[in-house]
Amino acid sequence: MRALEVAAPWGADALKVVERPDPAPGHGEVLVRMRAVSLNYRDMLMINGMYSRGSATAGGTITPFSDGCGIVEAVGPGVTRVAVGDRVATLFFQNWTSGRPTLEKLSSALGFPVPGAGRELATFSQDGVSKVPDFLTDQQVATLPCAALTAWRGLFEDARLEPGDTVVLQGTGGVSIFGLQFAKAAGYRTVITSSSDEKLARAKAMGADTLVNYRTTPDWSKAVREATHGVGADFVMEVGGAGTIQESLKAVRIGGHIAIIGVVAGAGEGVNPGALIGNSARLQGLSVGSREMFEAMCRAIELHRISPVVDKVFPWTEAAAAFAAMQGGEHFGKIVLQF
């Protein structure tokens, strides 16, 4: 079989397609023939040698990608959750089936430290895959494990929201577009930000209620306040980190919830404790979710017939071009590699 690998000196140009022996499933394991994988910002950090958890660069070679869709080709002894021929998604955390996160559970992420889904054939624990809705394409399924589950957990597992509440979704990448789709299905009002009027128009066509171009309106919290008659948003999906957190603190209502799911905006001012105390807001870091959450999300996707937005598709052997598209911010929704 062939696999994608990257090592020092790192970077998209260091990604290589290599030949490796076909794996065989052991006890409790399944062999999956991969059909598609999707890109996350984490993957870009990883291939550039910048992923810090456990020092990704210290281990030498990495097989990237946490998010994949494939067909079970063989099962090892003791497997009961899936059968040969089942279509499955990989789970971001291979050992987090349910309950609260722990260090052990969060140390089982695909891509690193567990070899990722960027290979034609892969073995996974039966607990590390899940069956998926039949109506979705392979490419759409591949977008679910990280971006979709992150949005799902933020909105429905961690925050205490009710229909009619207002949620702010930063940007038009994978998590925010899933957040828009889930929020509309749940009856929330949505505010979405972007630096592109074209992308905002696409978000409006998907049902976004309030659109804010943060390039022309850098103090976008004022627009959120205006849209909520001065009250502020009940929930903010914070994807920027230090570069945008101050606006999120200004935009959230008293007692509101800010879910920090990324650091894509780079450097900036840190959290002002006074602002956080002053409005009694809750600021929570969020790293994907459990298999139990994933399966609940899939039931909702099936019920509401929510179709993930796949914006760009590349052959899996052209991963470097896909990362260049991500780096350039060209996408709306998700970028997928097809096997």
Side-chain angles (χ1 to χ4, degrees):
M1 67 136 187
R2 294 177 298 167
L4 282 168
E5 290 184 355
V6 63
W10 309 104
D13 292 339
L15 277 166
K16 296 180 180 179
V17 178
V18 297
E19 294 281 345
R20 291 288 180 260
D22 289 359
H27 189 277
E29 291 184 334
V30 297
L31 177 68
V32 178
R33 183 167 293 279
M34 302 308 301
R35 304 282 286 270
V37 295
S38 72
L39 276 63
N40 294 299
Y41 187 71
R42 169 182 181 260
D43 297 309
M44 188 158 64
L45 294 177
M46 195 176 296
I47 68 160
N48 284 314
M50 299 167 61
Y51 190 62
S52 60
R53 174 171 287 167
S55 183
T57 59
T61 300
I62 289 175
T63 298
F65 302 115
S66 58
D67 294 19
C69 171
I71 304 296
V72 176
E73 196 158 280
V75 299
V79 171
T80 58
R81 293 194 66 249
V82 295
V84 172
D86 284 345
R87 189 173 64 147
V88 296
T90 57
L91 296 174
F92 188 95
F93 292 116
Q94 293 286 284
N95 294 341
W96 188 6
T97 57
S98 62
R100 295 180 177 180
T102 64
L103 178 60
E104 181 183 5
K105 293 173 182 177
L106 298 188
S107 297
S108 64
L110 276 184
F112 187 86
V114 180
R119 41 191 167 148
E120 292 177 317
L121 287 168
T123 55
F124 305 101
S125 164
Q126 65 171 332
D127 292 323
V129 297
S130 184
K131 289 186 277 191
V132 289
D134 290 338
F135 79 97
L136 298 179
T137 68
D138 295 338
Q139 295 172 7
Q140 290 172 329
V141 168
T143 70
L144 299 179
C146 181
L149 189 54
T150 297
W152 175 269
R153 177 183 163 192
L155 289 168
F156 305 117
E157 299 283 347
D158 295 343
R160 301 180 182 92
L161 301 176
E162 299 178 355
D165 282 353
T166 298
V167 303
V168 176
L169 305 161
Q170 294 179 2
T172 53
V175 177
S176 293
I177 294 303
F178 273 118
L180 172 61
Q181 292 177 295
F182 292 153
K184 297 309 294 183
Y188 305 154
R189 292 189 300 170
T190 54
V191 180
I192 197 158
T193 70
S194 174
S195 61
S196 164
D197 288 336
E198 179 184 355
K199 291 180 180 179
L200 287 172
R202 292 181 67 179
K204 182 177 181 180
M206 293 178 63
D209 298 297
T210 300
L211 314 170
V212 186
N213 186 316
Y214 63 78
R215 194 174 301 280
T216 57
T217 309
D219 51 350
W220 51 264
S221 60
K222 293 180 180 178
V224 175
R225 290 281 172 181
E226 290 174 4
T228 56
H229 307 289
V231 174
D234 300 279
F235 176 92
V236 179
M237 191 78 78
E238 171 59 59
V239 304
T244 53
I245 189 64
Q246 294 303 328
E247 283 301 300
S248 292
L249 286 167
K250 294 175 185 177
V252 74
R253 69 162 171 83
I254 293 175
H257 186 110
I258 301 174
I260 299 185
I261 63 98
V263 291
V264 298
E269 295 182 40
V271 175
N272 178 353
L276 197 60
I277 294 169
N279 65 5
S280 300
R282 183 165 64 249
L283 191 64
Q284 181 171 347
L286 193 167
S287 181
V288 201
S290 67
R291 190 184 78 202
E292 185 177 66
M293 296 177 196
F294 183 88
E295 291 174 347
M297 176 189 73
C298 283
R299 290 193 294 271
I301 287 172
E302 182 109 49
L303 176 65
H304 293 282
R305 284 297 194 265
I306 295 172
S307 295
V309 177
V310 175
D311 191 54
K312 296 181 184 298
V313 180
F314 295 81
W316 75 281
T317 53
E318 297 179 16
F323 278 112
M326 172 173 273
Q327 182 71 54
E330 300 173 12
H331 58 296
F332 178 97
K334 295 293 290 182
I335 298 173
V336 171
L337 301 179
Q338 183 76 40
F339 284 83

